[in-house]
Amino acid sequence: MKNLGIGKSVPLDTDESVVITLTVGEDGLITACGCAVEGSAYLEECADTLCRVLPEKPVKDVLQMTNMAIVYNMQTDLPTHFFYCSHMATVAAKNAAKDYLRKNDIPFDDTDCCNCGKL
């Protein structure tokens, strides 16, 4: 489906994973965001926070997002030693945005990406 973007983050040094699914409208705005998480409650909270804040945002804006956007929007405090959870969720969201953009032949700048967790 061309209106969906699916991204995954699975670091090699952990058994945790997160999958983010973005649904994008014809206007390029995210209409829905879903997540599937295997890991800690903090990872679940990070992915849920991400899915709460992304709707109605332009899909290309996801590529500029940092993990701190998740940390600042969380309803609970994220201990600093769990910041990797916010990074995992961010990487999955960026991969989902890239998946959508590629499916729709929309150009984007990928030069600053490390391709972590790439599908």
Side-chain angles (χ1 to χ4, degrees), residues 58-105:
V59 70
K60 279 192 169 185
D61 284 4
V62 175
L63 300 178
Q64 304 305 316
M65 185 178 65
T66 68
N67 68 308
M68 294 310 290
I70 295 172
V71 173
Y72 292 134
N73 283 286
M74 289 181 69
Q75 295 174 341
T76 59
D77 288 334
L78 183 65
T80 54
H81 58 282
F82 282 101
F83 271 31
Y84 77 92
C85 295
S86 62
H87 178 72
M88 283 180 64
T90 303
V91 168
K94 288 181 179 189
N95 286 336
K98 292 175 198 175
D99 181 52
Y100 167 81
L101 294 168
R102 284 185 190 107
K103 285 179 185 175
N104 290 279
D105 297 319

